[in-house]
Amino acid sequence: IAGITQAPTSQILAAGRRMTLRCTQDMRHNAMYWYRQDLGLGLRLIHYSNTAGTTGKGEVPDGYSVSRANTDDFPLTLASAVPSQTSVYFCASSRQGGITYNEQFFGPGTRLTVL
Amino acid sequence: RKEVEQDPGPFNVPEGATVAFNCTYSNSASQSFFWYRQDCRKEPKLLMSVYSSGNEDGRFTAQLNRASQYISLLIRDSKLSDSATYLCVVKSVTGGGNKLTFGTGTQLKVEL
């Protein structure tokens, strides 16, 4: 593993189904993030985690949950998917979170379609 | 009004041309500014930070005008490989820490 990996690469999902998007980083970064990217809206933060064991809500958290059991993994769960959650999802990480800015490195993305 | 606004383009320019993108932001308390590059169907990657005094990295020059709340990116001697979407990113500090706000991006197409 080098950098950030996401799985799956793409997924078509029936509405109402539960889905977990996986994200793993091997850079020992403290902070991790989940964004969604939609045409005309740019990248929007869903949830973040400044360090293992803590999480916070971003700009568009409704319908999503996250956990951060360890430094490397930051899964994003859609408990009951809806068509409006069709999007490209990017996981990102940075050396530190909080008020100190470090460059955010992005994973390759997951293309999710909810029918 | 969006927090960060960019002209979506596309900007179609010939190879070797100079092209400039502007970005405006609405939060006067914004602290830091960046340009990210995103290739088609790929993830965003940091291109450069934008400093108050302006900064240059090879063919790329970034400028910040705090009074007018805009950021610019100038690309000289455009290459085919510069074709991408350029995202303007603004950092502000909130109760939860850093908040990065991304513009929707400006698409650049460099042609032969």
Side-chain angles (χ1 to χ4, degrees):
Chain A
I1 297 177
I4 302 179
T5 58
Q6 292 184 235
T9 302
S10 64
Q11 182 75 44
I12 298 174
L13 187 66
R17 296 297 294 269
R18 180 184 180 89
M19 175 75 190
T20 295
L21 307 185
R22 299 185 298 279
C23 175
T24 299
Q25 54 101 359
D26 66 353
M27 297 178 283
R28 307 305 294 172
H29 284 173
N30 284 317
M32 297 187 75
Y33 314 85
W34 273 106
Y35 292 90
R36 59 179 289 174
Q37 186 174 35
D38 302 289
L39 194 63
L41 293 177
L43 281 151
R44 293 180 293 168
L45 182 66
I46 304 170
H47 285 287
Y48 66 92
S49 169
N50 285 334
T51 189
T54 69
T55 62
K57 293 182 179 180
E59 182 183 354
V60 288
D62 294 343
Y64 305 95
S65 63
V66 292
S67 61
R68 187 87 184 278
N70 57 61
T71 298
D72 298 344
D73 302 300
F74 191 42
L76 176 75
T77 297
L78 289 67
S80 179
V82 296
S84 62
Q85 291 178 311
T86 294
S87 188
V88 180
Y89 291 85
F90 287 103
C91 179
S93 72
S94 62
R95 189 156 47 88
Q96 299 292 344
I99 63 173
T100 301
Y101 177 77
N102 301 124
E103 177 184 352
Q104 289 191 13
F105 295 85
F106 286 80
T110 293
R111 296 183 174 275
L112 181 67
T113 302
V114 182
L115 301 176
Chain B
R1 182 186 173 187
K2 291 181 180 176
E3 285 189 57
V4 177
E5 294 205 60
Q6 296 182 250
D7 182 339
F11 284 60
N12 297 309
V13 303
E15 205 174 14
T18 295
V19 61
F21 308 136
N22 287 332
C23 165
T24 58
Y25 61 95
S26 60
N27 183 356
S28 60
S30 297
Q31 296 187 336
S32 305
F33 310 89
F34 312 91
W35 285 101
Y36 273 69
R37 171 191 168 130
Q38 186 172 22
D39 293 300
C40 187
R41 301 178 74 85
K42 298 287 189 180
E43 71 273 21
K45 294 182 180 179
L46 180 65
L47 177 66
M48 60 196 302
S49 301
V50 186
Y51 303 121
S52 297
S53 54
N55 49 297
E56 190 173 305
D57 183 2
R59 298 181 293 108
F60 298 83
T61 300
Q63 295 279 351
L64 167 64
N65 185 319
R66 283 189 184 272
S68 300
Q69 295 183 203
Y70 81 78
I71 309 137
S72 65
L73 177 68
L74 182 78
I75 305 175
R76 292 181 301 279
D77 190 22
S78 299
K79 310 292 185 191
L80 293 174
S81 58
D82 293 333
S83 297
T85 296
Y86 292 83
L87 308 177
C88 175
V89 184
V90 173
K91 189 200 92 171
S92 56
V93 178
T94 67
N98 279 333
K99 174 186 174 183
L100 288 187
T101 303
F102 289 77
T104 54
T106 298
Q107 187 179 11
L108 172 65
K109 295 181 180 179
V110 182
E111 302 162 333
L112 287 172

